[in-house]
Amino acid sequence: AQTVTQSQPEMSVQEAETVTLSCTYDTSENNYYLFWYKQPPSRQMILVIRQEAYKQQNATENRFSVNFQKAAKSFSLKISDSQLGDTAMYFCAFMKHAANFGNEKLTFGTGTRLTIIP
Amino acid sequence: EAEVAQSPRYKITEKSQAVAFWCDPISGHATLYWYRQILGQGPELLVQFQDESVVDDSQLPKDRFSAERLKGVDSTLKIQPAELGDSAMYLCASSLVSGFGNEQFFGPGTRLTVL
């Protein structure tokens, strides 16, 4: 079974600064996907960024980038030029590669509550 | 922009009562998921549908929980009887296809409080 660990329950940072959220995972799989999801207060969870394990290049989406270290089973999220709208709960999640139906469930960490301070 | 719809948004019930939650996925999405998110934790999968078929219900407490997606479109999750430990956020998600790390789109959730 896979496990995902987020060791920072809460973080806060000044607006416009850079913040890094940590995530480690444990799996015996070789092919898998990693995600960061954002859950703003009272709003639905949305995908921030996605990484395929077979790709060595780190994924980037505008101000969001990841540092994927496959050997260390580490997957951190960096938010640059943080904005007030980045305030949310952030979940790291793991998904096995599955060519057949089933086994596409997301395994989530416990989340990091990020607050951007004006 | 298409979204996953869920109702009700909030539900308060007494233990031993029956409750039901409804989810309407994004049009055309064949795969539908129900997750449970206990306060302070990440979501955990309860059941996954591919069209109208259940493909994973290994974590669904089948003695009290049931789920259906009769026409392969919208879905209902039922709890009977509800217990205090069922208090949680119930999230529905959908994806266009399953596998290959496809994005799951989440609804706003139903927050259940069992008294």
Side-chain angles (χ1 to χ4, degrees):
Chain A
Q2 286 66 231
T3 59
V4 177
T5 302
Q6 294 180 250
S7 58
Q8 305 153 311
E10 294 189 23
M11 297 186 71
S12 60
V13 65
Q14 292 289 137
E15 190 177 6
E17 291 186 348
T18 294
V19 61
T20 299
L21 309 183
S22 301
C23 173
T24 59
Y25 59 94
D26 190 24
T27 184
S28 58
E29 302 287 331
N30 191 47
N31 290 329
Y32 50 87
Y33 307 90
L34 295 165
F35 305 81
W36 279 98
Y37 274 87
K38 168 185 177 181
Q39 189 175 39
S42 300
R43 296 183 61 185
Q44 60 255 56
M45 197 174 304
I46 57 174
L47 179 65
V48 175
I49 199 164
R50 171 182 176 274
Q51 175 78 42
E52 295 149 325
Y54 64 85
K55 289 187 176 180
Q56 293 187 345
Q57 186 174 8
N58 289 324
T60 62
E61 287 288 342
N62 300 313
R63 299 182 295 108
F64 298 87
S65 62
V66 298
N67 183 3
F68 173 50
Q69 301 291 327
K70 190 173 184 179
K73 297 181 181 176
S74 171
F75 182 62
S76 61
L77 174 70
K78 185 172 81 171
I79 306 174
S80 304
D81 185 26
S82 57
Q83 301 175 359
L84 296 180
D86 295 333
T87 292
M89 196 76 169
Y90 286 81
F91 290 97
C92 179
F94 173 100
M95 180 192 291
K96 290 195 301 185
H97 173 78
N100 300 315
F101 298 144
N103 293 317
E104 300 94 20
K105 70 176 181 181
L106 288 165
T107 299
F108 287 88
T110 52
T112 296
R113 185 176 304 280
L114 176 65
T115 302
I116 308 300
I117 303 167
Chain B
E1 183 176 326
E3 295 184 339
V4 176
Q6 290 188 250
S7 67
R9 292 291 306 277
Y10 303 91
K11 179 69 177 178
I12 300 174
T13 191
E14 294 185 345
K15 64 180 182 180
S16 78
Q17 296 297 305
V19 292
F21 314 131
W22 177 79
C23 172
D24 191 13
I26 294 173
S27 178
H29 281 198
T31 310
L32 184 147
Y33 311 82
W34 282 101
Y35 288 87
R36 178 171 61 183
Q37 185 178 17
I38 296 170
L39 190 63
Q41 299 182 19
E44 292 183 324
L45 182 73
L46 290 174
V47 61
Q48 176 186 344
F49 289 91
Q50 182 65 33
D51 297 311
E52 67 277 6
S53 300
V54 173
V55 296
D56 186 356
D57 63 356
S58 57
Q59 300 303 309
L60 187 71
K62 300 181 186 65
D63 57 335
R64 298 184 301 107
F65 286 64
S66 64
E68 60 183 15
R69 193 184 184 199
L70 292 176
K71 296 182 179 179
V73 181
D74 59 337
S75 176
T76 301
L77 179 70
K78 297 179 181 178
I79 308 175
Q80 182 173 17
E83 296 181 352
L84 296 178
D86 296 331
S87 293
M89 176 76 86
Y90 290 82
L91 298 171
C92 180
S94 69
S95 62
L96 185 60
V97 294
S98 63
F100 305 105
N102 288 297
E103 179 180 357
Q104 295 181 19
F105 295 83
F106 285 81
T110 295
R111 183 169 295 283
L112 174 65
T113 302
V114 182
L115 303 175

